[in-house]
């Protein structure tokens, strides 16, 4: 292709190629001929990602130009009248017009686009179906876009964080370096959910990443918020939005390519964007890392050119419980049972658990109910102990015949992979509701369950399952996330009927131990830095983001009492800790009673402490709420000190001695843990804390004593991020989308001369936060300001409240005028009173 013009025949279509020597990328001398050659060489992989999707094109007829003199770009959706008749196309109705889009389904069309100087091809996350009707999305995408001050390596870090969350949702993300600045993450979906549903979940995922990593992630597109952060753009899951097609060129100064990558590549410190020559070299030696995303894309091929109405409509089918199941399977291609339309009612109680080696290994739990097998996918398997709560993703109902199915689902078919029966048998039903199912499974003695096991399946509060009523309405959330919890066996009466066992395996309210011989109050740490440690002789522990509590444990009374730092008894709010605390102390026969110091933390799905999650459990009093919260927000008690053993106070002993006694007196069991300490190596401890996503470390002097109720420099807290506890003294009304609601909170810190104003916080709130804050503050409104020094510029429209509520904010630094710079809301601190607050 050296001549300026040529006529070529591609797939039986004659195409005139002109101006082949035109330079489209002046900086590299890349010509139109080079572009056409690249698209011809990459067509096999590119078309798989673009096929059957309406293609939006970006054309640079005169080339991309230079940074000083960029070339003109033409953004094109609708096909021009001169488009060859053989180009496959589809009509798409927009709000006030109809566009006709090309489908990049073959090399001839891709070559024709290259001849038109199309450099970028953008497509949505959905395909047209056989008849031209848009189908539900078959993939989820996140666009990780670096703001000023960060780059590709920070995007890779955020990609790994997102991967962990997506794994918990049962999805396997695949990365693409975008060819511009950032990274795209794709995850295959099964057509069960609408674009609006996928967008909603992608938005929540982005907000969850931002909440957990505020120093690195932002989910709001405002440029003012993006400095030093990576934007997680979830909006491209909207049905009207598009993303650049993998393997498409970019219209930048260099001919870069949106390139699928491996996770191993993303871990490299040499990670960079790739140009078309590098991509061509890759294609010669390796397969497309994104190939699994295109599996089955041509299962329903789009017809030849012409409007959507030319296709034949499918025969009318009356929906039933198996409509979704049949829609995903072709009985001629898969050995799975695909029965007739009708579903007969049944009163059976069979169950099966199948091990499924699909794209990712998982297990499927299926319970016979109303003539079908109601099914959940268990990405991490069946819980082994009651300390585990595992994800259960509610999927489409399966036919009863599936209970006997074992075999291999062919590659290219839905759920491709090997299926085997892990266990099966009959179940006893204790409860079946739309949000809760409790059953006892009676499996085979030598199979996976090892006999009988009792489980609770609980729909999470932000998910909606398929209804099991006769209406069979479907989900409005993409993941249908439930939790599966292994419960203690139910107790039968002599007559064989079951008692009304407490759900969720939460123990009954514990007995209150006898009043302790000695009263204790927690020792407090001073804020500091590595430089403030000075001499040697320190041990380092992780700083946990939770609620401080002392545990009074009595084996004689079989009782536990949990008391916060301000003396509140919170035992009733955390009954799930009681049994493990008793077991942790009972494991060492020489210990009959103990007073333990530690932190109650809530653990999110990634196994990380999550203070926001812990807040959902604080101050709960109703038994059912507590039982439900114990499943959706599991907590752990992380012990770090022993204040009393067998009635003997230990506070006058050194930290080293107390810590050794703690490790001898307590055995970690389930939710009770004794995290490790690091001696003499601050850098290792601090690095570990950062890797784990924690607040920082606690430095403890090895020869320090326990200073009850006092803040001592024998304990020093050293943080990665700065937090400050504050008292709320008022609010200012919001504007724009917060009009009529709270815009920002006015914050203070108590001093000897009154409540000193330290600034206002207006970010970090969720919608639920704003509603909760307004309800808490309404009853505290007063006419005068509680602040001793607030400036008039901060009082415009202010509503004052009695300064009784304590909260916590995260911030960048203190300003020269002693104000919080860039504060962000973290939540209420009901375990604190204004008198507890000091400047950190």
């Amino acid at each position: 292709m050296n001549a300026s013009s040529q006529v070529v025949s591609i797939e039986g279509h004659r195409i005139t190629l002109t101006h082949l020597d035109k330079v489209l990328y002046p900086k590299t001398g890349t010509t139109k001929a080079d572009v056409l050659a690249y698209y011809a060489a990459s067509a096999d992989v590119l078309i798989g990602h673009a096929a059957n999707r309406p293609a939006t094109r970006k054309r640079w007829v005169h080339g991309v130009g230079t940074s000083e003199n960029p070339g003109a770009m033409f953004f094109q959706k609708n096909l021009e009248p001169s488009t060859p008749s053989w180009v496959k196309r589809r009509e798409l109705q927009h709000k006030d017009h109809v566009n006709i889009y090309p489908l990049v389904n073959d090399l001839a069309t891709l070559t024709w686009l290259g001849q038109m100087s199309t450099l970028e091809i953008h497509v949505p996350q959905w395909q047209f179906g056989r008849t031209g009707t848009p189908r539900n999305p078959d993939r989820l995408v996140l666009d990780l876009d670096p703001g000023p001050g960060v780059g590709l390596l920070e995007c890779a870090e955020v990609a790994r964080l997102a991967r962990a969350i997506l794994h918990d949702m049962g999805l396997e993300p695949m990365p693409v370096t975008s060819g511009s600045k950032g990274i795209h993450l794709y995850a295959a979906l099964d057509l069960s959910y609408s674009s609006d549903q996928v967008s909603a979940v992608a938005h929540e995922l982005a907000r969850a990443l931002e909440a957990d990593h505020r120093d690195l992630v932002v989910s709001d597109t405002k440029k003012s918020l993006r400095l030093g952060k990576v934007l997680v753009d979830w909006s491209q899951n909207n049905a009207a939005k598009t993303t650049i097609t993998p393997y498409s060129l970019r219209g930048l100064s260099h001919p870069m390519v949106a390139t699928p990558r491996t996770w191993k590549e993303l871990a490299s410190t040499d990670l960079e964007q790739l140009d078309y020559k590098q991509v061509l070299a890759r294609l010669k030696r390796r397969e497309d890392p994104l190939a699994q995303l295109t599996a089955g894309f041509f299962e329903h091929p789009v017809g030849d050119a012409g409007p959507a109405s030319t296709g034949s409509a499918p025969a009318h089918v009356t929906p039933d419980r198996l409509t979704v199941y049949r829609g995903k399977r072709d009985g001629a291609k898969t050995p799975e049972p695909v029965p007739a339309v009708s579903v007969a009612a049944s009163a059976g109680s069979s169950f099966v658990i199948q091990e499924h080696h699909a794209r990712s290994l998982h297990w499927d739990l299926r319970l016979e109910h109303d003539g079908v097998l109601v099914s959940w996918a268990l990405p991490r398997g069946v819980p082994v102990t009651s300390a585990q709560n595992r994800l259960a993703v509610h999927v489409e109902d399966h036919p009863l015949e599936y209970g006997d199915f074992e075999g291999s689902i062919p590659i290219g078919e839905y759920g491709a992979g090997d299926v085997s029966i892990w266990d099966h048998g009959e179940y006893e039903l204790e409860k079946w509701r739309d949000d809760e199912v409790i059953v006892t499974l009676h499996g085979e003695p030598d199979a996976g369950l090892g006999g009988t096991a009792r489980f609770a399946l609980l729909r999470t509060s932000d998910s909606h399952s398929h209804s099991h009523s006769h209406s069979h309405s479907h989900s409005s959330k993409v993941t249908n996330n439930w939790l599966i919890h292994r419960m203690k066996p139910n107790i039968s009466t002599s007559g064989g009927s079951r008692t009304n066992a407490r759900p969720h395996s939460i123990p009954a309210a514990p007995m209150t131990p006898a009043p302790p011989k000695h009263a204790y109050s927690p020792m407090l740490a001073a804020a500091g830095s590595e430089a403030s440690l000075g001499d040697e002789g320190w041990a380092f522990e992780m700083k946990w983001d939770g609620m401080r509590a002392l545990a009074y444990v009595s084996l004689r009374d079989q009782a536990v009492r949990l008391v916060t730092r301000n003396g509140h008894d919170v035992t009733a709010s955390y009954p799930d800790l009681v049994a493990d605390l008793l077991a942790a102390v009972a494991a060492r026969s020489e210990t009959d009673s103990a007073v333990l110091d530690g932190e109650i933390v809530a653990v999110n799905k990634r196994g990380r402490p999550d203070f926001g999650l812990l807040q959902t459990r604080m101050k709960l009093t109703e038994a059912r709420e507590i039982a439900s919260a114990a499943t959706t927000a599991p907590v752990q008690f992380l012990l770090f000190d022993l204040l009393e053993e067998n009635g003997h106070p230990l506070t006058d002993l050194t930290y080293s001695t107390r810590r050794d006694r703690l490790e001898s007196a307590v055995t970690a069991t389930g939710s009770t843990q004794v995290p490790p300490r690091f001696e003499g190596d601050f850098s290792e401890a601090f690095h570990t804390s950062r890797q784990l996503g924690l607040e920082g470390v606690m430095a403890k002097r090895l020869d320090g004593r326990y200073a009850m109720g006092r803040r001592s420099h024998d304990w020093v807290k050293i943080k990665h991020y700065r937090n400050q506890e504050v008292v709320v003294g008022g609010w200012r009304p919001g504007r724009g989308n917060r009009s009529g609601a709270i815009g920002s909170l006015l914050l203070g810190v108590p001093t000897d001369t009154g409540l000193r104003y330290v600034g206002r916080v207006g970010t970090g709130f969720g919608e639920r936060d704003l509603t909760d804050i307004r309800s808490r503050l309404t009853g505290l409104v007063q006419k005068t300001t509680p602040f001793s020094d607030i400036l008039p510029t901060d009082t415009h429209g202010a509503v004052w409240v009695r300064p009784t509520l304590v909260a916590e904010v995260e911030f960048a630094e203190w300003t020269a005028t002693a104000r919080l710079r860039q504060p962000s809301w973290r939540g209420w601190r009901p375990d604190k009173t204004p008198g507890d607050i000091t400047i950190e």
Side-chain angles (χ1 to χ4, degrees):
M1 298 182 67
N2 296 320
S4 178
S5 298
Q6 288 186 13
V7 177
V8 297
S9 178
I10 300 177
E11 299 173 335
H13 305 296
R14 289 171 59 83
I15 305 175
T16 300
L17 306 178
T18 61
H19 305 295
L20 294 174
D21 53 356
K22 176 178 286 185
V23 176
L24 297 181
Y25 293 89
K27 200 162 187 177
T28 58
T30 304
T31 64
K32 182 192 281 190
D34 295 325
V35 168
L36 288 166
Y38 166 72
Y39 277 138
S42 64
D44 286 347
V45 288
L46 187 154
I47 290 171
H49 299 295
N52 300 341
R53 305 176 194 273
T56 297
R57 294 89 67 206
K58 288 186 176 182
R59 300 170 54 201
W60 281 263
V61 176
H62 302 296
V64 300
T66 64
S67 56
E68 297 80 16
N69 186 26
M73 184 271 290
F74 298 90
F75 187 82
Q76 195 166 11
K77 294 185 176 183
N78 206 19
L79 280 176
E80 52 274 285
S82 60
T83 301
S85 61
W86 46 261
V87 173
K88 293 181 176 64
R89 64 197 76 191
R90 284 296 186 201
E91 293 183 354
L92 188 60
Q93 177 68 55
H94 294 280
K95 288 183 178 180
D96 55 359
H97 66 284
V98 174
N99 278 344
I100 301 176
Y101 290 85
L103 306 178
V104 188
N105 283 22
D106 49 63
L107 175 58
T109 300
L110 184 58
T111 303
W112 174 74
L113 292 174
Q115 158 60 22
M116 304 286 288
S117 298
T118 299
L119 300 181
E120 294 190 9
I121 302 170
H122 294 248
V123 295
Q125 314 318 318
W126 55 268
Q127 293 179 298
F128 285 110
R130 178 185 292 112
T131 64
T133 302
R135 299 201 295 176
N136 280 344
D138 48 39
R139 62 194 190 194
L140 175 149
V141 68
L142 296 175
D143 181 4
L144 312 181
D145 189 11
V150 294
L152 194 59
L153 293 183
E154 286 79 10
C155 289
E157 182 179 352
V158 174
R160 289 188 288 272
L161 297 171
R163 185 189 190 192
I165 297 177
L166 288 163
H167 273 171
D168 282 339
M169 297 165 62
L171 300 176
E172 175 54 55
M174 294 157 279
V176 174
T177 45
S178 69
S180 179
K181 296 184 294 182
I183 291 173
H184 297 158
L185 282 185
Y186 288 93
L189 301 176
D190 65 2
L191 305 180
S192 295
Y193 309 99
S194 70
S195 295
D196 287 344
Q197 292 166 339
V198 177
S199 292
V201 169
H203 191 188
E204 288 303 312
L205 192 156
R207 291 173 62 179
L209 282 170
E210 180 180 34
D212 286 347
H213 308 280
R214 293 189 183 280
D215 62 320
L216 182 60
V217 177
V218 63
S219 63
D220 192 313
T221 57
K222 292 188 181 74
K223 290 185 178 181
S224 60
L225 302 176
R226 296 182 57 186
L227 179 64
K229 298 183 180 182
V230 175
L231 169 67
V232 179
D233 185 357
W234 52 273
S235 66
Q236 292 173 38
N237 295 284
N238 185 304
K241 296 291 187 68
T242 61
T243 307
I244 192 162
T245 302
Y247 292 104
S248 171
L249 285 162
R250 282 288 198 175
L252 304 173
S253 59
H254 282 70
M256 311 306 286
V257 173
T259 312
R261 311 297 287 268
T262 66
W263 284 105
K264 183 177 180 180
E265 287 181 291
L266 245 65
S268 171
T269 56
D270 297 325
L271 181 68
E272 61 180 2
Q273 303 286 349
L274 301 181
D275 65 23
Y276 81 102
K277 291 182 178 179
Q278 292 170 301
V279 172
L280 288 176
R282 286 166 62 87
L283 291 173
K284 291 179 180 178
R285 64 178 187 268
R286 68 169 68 191
E287 295 182 353
D288 177 16
L290 213 60
Q292 57 183 308
L293 199 64
T294 63
F297 271 18
F298 299 98
E299 188 176 339
H300 304 292
V302 175
D304 288 335
S309 58
T310 61
S312 57
H316 177 73
V317 175
T318 302
D320 66 5
R321 294 289 295 274
L322 296 180
T323 299
V324 176
Y325 173 88
R326 291 189 202 91
K328 297 179 179 181
R329 293 163 178 85
D330 184 341
K333 296 180 181 179
T334 177
E336 299 165 283
V338 185
V341 172
S342 60
V343 176
S346 75
S349 57
S350 66
F351 85 89
V352 66
I353 300 175
Q354 288 158 319
E355 186 173 328
H356 192 171
H357 291 260
R359 184 170 61 240
S360 59
L361 172 64
H362 65 276
W363 285 257
D364 295 300
L365 168 62
R366 312 192 194 281
L367 304 176
E368 181 178 352
H369 190 69
D370 286 349
V372 296
L373 292 175
V374 180
S375 301
W376 290 265
L378 312 179
R380 296 188 177 179
V382 179
V384 178
T385 71
S386 60
Q388 295 173 322
N389 293 313
R390 289 184 171 170
L391 178 67
V393 182
H394 188 261
V395 297
E396 73 275 8
D397 296 333
H398 281 51
L400 295 182
E401 297 90 331
Y402 214 97
D404 298 321
F405 174 67
E406 290 187 292
S408 181
I409 303 172
I411 294 175
E413 297 304 301
Y414 175 74
D418 295 328
V419 177
S420 60
I421 293 177
W422 189 76
D423 206 339
H424 67 107
E426 300 291 319
Y427 73 88
E428 292 179 75
L429 177 61
E430 188 173 330
K431 181 183 292 187
W432 193 295
R433 301 191 329 185
D434 284 353
D435 60 351
E436 182 178 13
V437 175
I438 300 178
V439 292
T440 298
L441 307 182
H442 299 288
E444 298 291 324
D446 57 350
L449 293 175
T452 297
R454 183 168 173 251
F455 295 96
L457 287 150
L458 303 159
R459 193 181 73 199
T460 58
S461 58
D462 60 350
S463 174
H464 303 277
S465 76
H466 295 306
S467 169
H468 299 309
S469 66
H470 294 295
S471 65
H472 313 312
S473 61
H474 291 293
S475 165
S476 63
K477 283 280 186 177
V478 68
T479 57
N480 278 322
N481 282 355
W482 291 49
L483 292 172
I484 182 169
H485 173 72
R486 190 165 188 140
M487 304 174 71
K488 293 180 180 179
N490 215 339
I491 301 171
S492 297
T493 65
S494 57
S497 62
R498 292 187 301 274
T499 61
N500 292 325
R502 297 168 65 86
H504 316 312
S505 192
I506 299 302
M511 294 175 58
T512 302
K517 295 179 180 179
H518 306 93
Y520 298 92
S521 55
M523 175 177 175
L524 306 177
S529 64
E530 182 181 8
S532 67
L533 301 182
D535 57 358
E536 297 181 357
W538 295 87
F540 304 97
E541 300 173 359
M542 299 297 101
K543 187 179 187 308
W544 305 107
D545 194 10
M547 182 175 71
R548 185 79 172 278
L550 299 183
Y552 295 81
V553 182
S554 171
L555 297 184
R556 181 183 61 188
D557 298 331
Q558 280 293 288
V560 170
R561 185 156 61 96
L562 296 169
V563 181
T564 66
R565 57 175 283 183
N566 53 9
H568 293 160
D569 190 323
V570 293
T571 316
S573 296
Y574 304 97
D576 41 334
L577 295 178
V578 171
D580 278 339
L581 273 165
L582 288 168
V585 175
R588 304 298 174 95
S589 58
E590 62 270 18
T591 304
D592 295 320
S593 66
V595 179
L596 302 157
D597 192 357
E599 195 92 359
I600 298 174
V601 301
V603 183
N604 61 24
K605 293 177 180 179
R606 296 184 295 113
R608 302 288 175 82
D610 185 332
F611 184 72
L613 192 61
L614 181 64
Q615 284 194 303
T616 66
R617 297 202 55 176
M618 290 180 174
K619 292 193 172 182
L620 293 180
T621 57
E622 199 274 320
R624 175 171 173 76
E625 289 181 340
I626 293 170
S628 177
T631 302
T632 58
V635 293
Q636 293 186 355
F637 196 19
L638 307 181
L639 303 177
F640 47 72
D641 220 320
L642 178 64
L643 310 188
E644 180 184 298
E645 186 178 18
N646 294 335
H648 302 294
L650 308 179
T651 53
D652 286 337
L653 301 180
T654 64
Y655 162 81
S656 291
T657 304
R658 296 195 314 276
R659 178 71 193 210
D660 290 342
R661 293 278 290 270
L662 171 68
E663 294 174 5
S664 297
V666 173
T667 299
T669 56
S671 59
T672 299
Q673 299 290 324
V674 183
R677 54 178 164 167
F678 299 75
E679 288 199 13
D681 192 344
F682 171 80
S683 59
E684 181 185 0
F686 203 62
H687 178 68
T688 300
S689 173
R690 187 182 295 277
Q691 282 188 317
L692 293 175
L694 303 178
E695 281 189 304
V697 298
M698 297 289 294
K700 297 185 177 181
R701 195 182 298 275
L702 293 175
D703 59 359
R705 269 59 176 178
Y706 193 92
M708 285 196 299
R710 291 194 295 108
R711 195 173 300 278
S712 168
H713 286 276
D714 284 347
W715 285 9
V716 179
K717 52 187 174 184
I718 305 170
K719 297 183 179 182
H720 300 294
Y721 316 107
R722 307 189 73 175
N723 294 340
Q724 176 63 47
E725 292 160 353
V726 290
V727 176
V728 176
W731 80 78
R732 285 175 43 161
R735 300 178 181 176
N737 61 359
R738 281 203 200 163
S739 180
I742 289 176
S744 60
L745 297 177
L746 305 174
L747 311 175
V749 173
T751 67
D752 293 340
T753 58
L755 187 65
R756 179 167 71 81
Y757 180 67
V758 295
R760 52 195 175 100
V761 59
T763 62
F765 304 115
E767 290 301 321
R768 291 182 180 177
D769 292 326
L770 291 171
T771 301
D772 172 67
I773 291 168
R774 185 66 175 261
S775 66
R776 288 176 185 246
L777 297 183
T778 299
L780 300 177
V781 171
Q782 63 180 28
K783 294 182 178 180
T784 57
T785 176
F787 298 104
S788 59
D789 60 344
I790 191 168
L791 298 174
T793 52
D794 282 311
T795 63
H796 180 68
V799 179
W800 309 115
V801 299
R802 293 199 306 276
T804 60
L805 296 180
V806 176
E808 186 171 315
V809 295
E810 185 176 283
F811 69 107
E813 61 182 348
W814 288 103
T815 68
T817 56
R819 299 289 189 264
L820 298 165
R821 186 186 302 280
Q822 298 175 358
S824 178
W825 177 260
R826 297 198 71 232
W828 295 110
R829 293 303 307 242
D831 56 322
K832 303 289 182 72
T833 65
D836 296 327
I837 307 309
T838 60
I839 293 291
E840 295 285 353

